[in-house]
Amino acid sequence: MTPTEHPPTRHTRTYWLEHAWLGTHVEPGVVVEVTDGRITAVSRDAPAPPPGAEILRGLTLPGLANAHSHAFHRALRGTVQVGSGTFWTWREVMYSVADRLTPETYHALARAVYAEMALAGVTAVGEFHYLHHAPGGTPYADPNAMGEALVDAASEAGIRITLLDTAYLSSGFGQPPTTHQLRFSDGSADAWAERCSVLKDRDHARIGAAIHSVRAVPARQLATVAQWAQERRAPLHVHLSEQTAENDACREAHGCTPTRLLAEHGVLGPRTTGVHNTHLTDEDIALLGDTGTGTCMCPTTERDLADGIGPAAALQKAGSPLSLGSDSHAVIDLLEEARAMELNERLRTRTRGHWTAAALLRAASADGHAALGWDEAGTIEPGALADLTTIALDSVRTAGPVPRLGAETAVFAATAADVRHTIVGGRHVVRDGVHALVPDVPRALAAAVEALRS
Ligand SMILES: [Zn+2]
């Protein structure tokens, strides 16, 4: 170093965690040192905060990962609960919202939705993004204008994003896209790959890939998407067997299940995540487990859309790591997703105790981050990204002898409304329940949704 050069400024902070979830148990009085967005030291036995430390009262967890999101579905909340119907009738209403989005209106909506996620303790989101082009399928001047709008929105809301850029080429097996779906399609997997190769990782953003479903990408083009992800060691997500109709159509077209079709085209593997994995055969479960393919359950959406209950316990036992997502955002509450997975299994089997609170938190954090390509997040230990979520222990929902109960109170009693602090890369994005970057999140949500109706 010459005398005129200065060392780079290092931003160091100290946090005192009244209670911390350290992966296996709750520890009282933990000091976490953070430098340049990463945890550099974790020390226990600190009954009082050291001088100058930021105080996090409550139970601090590793930041939560929302592994499956379609930000624009948030505009449907509260509008699709009247009358009967199925996933397929819901989808028609969803398409009517998709038709109206522009890069500007989508940016405003996503910024507000990601701010809602930050308030719910989410520090990283996996955005399964297929709304690529203008209505009718004409590319914008920047063909990635919609994806860039989402990446910017996450930055402005203070959270990390993995943009899972989604190939969506057909409406069904051998069927061209419908009018609504034209804006989702690049025409071919090669054109999809060319467009998303332009997208670049940023500090807060990583680029991954997605196959919308076996309905939406012709079998002979699946390998192109898989190879694109493999070359970049990027996460690859796919909606898998959410509906029995998809399984029936796949058997008719290809004589096998969607899982088998994906396996035969090189889609499965440890960087791949099947989303939903609801209606599977025993062979499907073995295929997913043996290949280390992950499973993202979205229990609040699956129940909202009357999808059914997926075999999450069997999948995990077979070797498929579990993650969680709020998907259609009927609610945005990762704690609710976590307990719903366990409670669904209780209803299905009429027995209790399929997952411990520790296992559910692992799905909501470390394994969710890994599914999104943020392997260095999701734990409170040196070297990890300094992403933290603090749950209040003094609300009407959580008051009680929490330290003795471990994380059970957080997982089985707390809600998103109990999130007191959200810290992303050592930056306080939510402080005392208030978003530091988006001043009035409810108003931002209302305005963004209203703009799509007028
Ligand atoms: Zn989805």
Side-chain angles (χ1 to χ4, degrees), residues 87-97 180:
F87 169 88
W88 306 103
T89 51
W90 168 87
R91 193 177 74 155
E92 288 306 309
V93 184
M94 183 267 282
Y95 280 167
S96 70
V97 173
H180 291 302

Side-chain angles (χ1 to χ4, degrees), residues 301-372:
T301 291
E302 289 149 6
R303 71 195 188 198
D304 186 69
L305 296 180
D307 288 347
I309 301 170
L315 280 159
Q316 187 174 42
K317 197 171 167 204
S320 178
L322 300 177
S323 54
L324 296 161
S326 65
D327 188 4
S328 69
H329 311 314
V331 297
I332 293 177
D333 188 337
L334 265 287
L335 302 170
E336 175 62 27
E337 301 293 347
R339 67 175 158 261
M341 188 164 70
E342 161 70 20
L343 299 179
N344 279 349
E345 198 68 7
R346 290 185 190 180
L347 287 171
R348 201 172 65 76
T349 62
R350 289 182 286 160
T351 58
R352 307 178 83 223
H354 302 278
W355 288 277
T356 60
L360 294 171
L361 278 179
R362 186 172 174 81
S365 187
D367 288 349
H369 281 101
L372 298 177

Side-chain angles (χ1 to χ4, degrees), residues 86 104 203 218 340 413 417 430 450:
T86 64
E104 293 74 28
D203 280 353
V430 173
E450 185 60 34

Side-chain angles (χ1 to χ4, degrees), residues 188-246:
S188 69
D190 286 332
W192 165 86
E194 192 178 330
R195 179 180 52 71
C196 46
S197 293
V198 177
L199 290 160
K200 295 286 177 271
D201 288 355
R202 271 145 267 190
D203 280 353
H204 80 291
R206 292 188 177 160
I207 308 302
I211 291 162
H212 179 276
S213 57
V214 292
R215 285 179 279 122
V217 176
R220 65 183 181 284
Q221 300 189 57
L222 290 169
T224 304
V225 184
Q227 198 179 342
W228 187 96
Q230 198 174 0
E231 282 167 4
R232 288 159 182 77
R233 303 182 65 78
L236 170 61
H237 287 214
V238 51
H239 288 131
L240 181 56
S241 291
E242 182 178 5
Q243 301 294 326
T244 52
E246 173 178 295

Side-chain angles (χ1 to χ4, degrees), residues 94-431:
M94 183 267 282
Y95 280 167
S96 70
V97 173
D99 285 346
R100 292 197 288 274
L101 285 158
T102 66
E104 293 74 28
T105 57
Y106 204 7
H107 171 265
L109 178 59
R111 173 178 171 269
V113 174
Y114 297 153
E116 181 183 354
M117 288 185 196
L119 287 171
V122 171
T123 53
V125 62
E127 181 63 36
F128 197 106
H129 167 59
Y130 53 83
L131 250 172
H132 302 305
H133 305 298
T138 310
Y140 290 106
D142 171 1
N144 285 307
M146 292 294 252
E148 293 287 358
L150 295 165
V151 170
D152 289 348
S155 171
E156 290 170 36
I159 67 171
R160 304 183 196 279
I161 184 171
T162 296
L163 186 72
L164 298 160
D165 196 298
T166 306
Y168 196 132
L169 307 170
S170 53
S171 64
F173 297 93
Q175 303 291 322
T178 63
T179 307
H180 291 302
Q181 295 163 344
L182 284 172
R183 67 183 310 191
F184 309 162
S185 176
D186 293 294
S188 69
D190 286 332
W192 165 86
E194 192 178 330
R195 179 180 52 71
C196 46
S197 293
V198 177
L199 290 160
K200 295 286 177 271
D201 288 355
R202 271 145 267 190
D203 280 353
H204 80 291
R206 292 188 177 160
I207 308 302
I211 291 162
H212 179 276
S213 57
V214 292
R215 285 179 279 122
V217 176
R220 65 183 181 284
Q221 300 189 57
L222 290 169
T224 304
V225 184
Q227 198 179 342
W228 187 96
Q230 198 174 0
E231 282 167 4
R232 288 159 182 77
R233 303 182 65 78
L236 170 61
H237 287 214
V238 51
H239 288 131
L240 181 56
S241 291
E242 182 178 5
Q243 301 294 326
T244 52
E246 173 178 295
N247 291 355
D248 296 344
C250 188
R251 278 187 196 283
E252 194 168 314
H254 295 289
C256 65
T257 65
T259 302
R260 166 59 68 187
L261 189 68
L262 294 176
E264 286 175 358
H265 290 85
V267 175
L268 303 185
R271 275 189 298 278
T272 300
T273 296
V275 180
H276 303 302
N277 295 357
T278 312
H279 302 286
L280 302 181
T281 65
D282 290 346
E283 194 213 3
D284 293 339
I285 293 170
L287 270 174
L288 293 166
D290 289 348
T291 53
T293 304
T295 293
C296 181
M297 303 298 288
C298 305
T300 67
T301 291
E302 289 149 6
R303 71 195 188 198
D304 186 69
L305 296 180
D307 288 347
I309 301 170
L315 280 159
Q316 187 174 42
K317 197 171 167 204
S320 178
L322 300 177
S323 54
L324 296 161
S326 65
D327 188 4
S328 69
H329 311 314
V331 297
I332 293 177
D333 188 337
L334 265 287
L335 302 170
E336 175 62 27
E337 301 293 347
R339 67 175 158 261
M341 188 164 70
E342 161 70 20
L343 299 179
N344 279 349
E345 198 68 7
R346 290 185 190 180
L347 287 171
R348 201 172 65 76
T349 62
R350 289 182 286 160
T351 58
R352 307 178 83 223
H354 302 278
W355 288 277
T356 60
L360 294 171
L361 278 179
R362 186 172 174 81
S365 187
D367 288 349
H369 281 101
L372 298 177
W374 296 95
D375 301 76
E376 69 275 55
T379 56
I380 301 178
E381 60 185 14
L385 293 170
D387 296 357
L388 305 169
T389 296
T390 304
I391 309 293
L393 298 181
D394 52 3
S395 77
V396 288
R397 288 166 293 277
T398 59
V402 175
R404 286 208 300 277
L405 290 174
E408 282 77 7
T409 298
V411 174
F412 288 101
T415 72
D418 296 312
V419 171
R420 181 173 277 161
H421 304 291
T422 306
I423 291 162
V424 183
R427 178 191 201 188
H428 231 117
V429 175
V430 173
R431 189 188 291 275

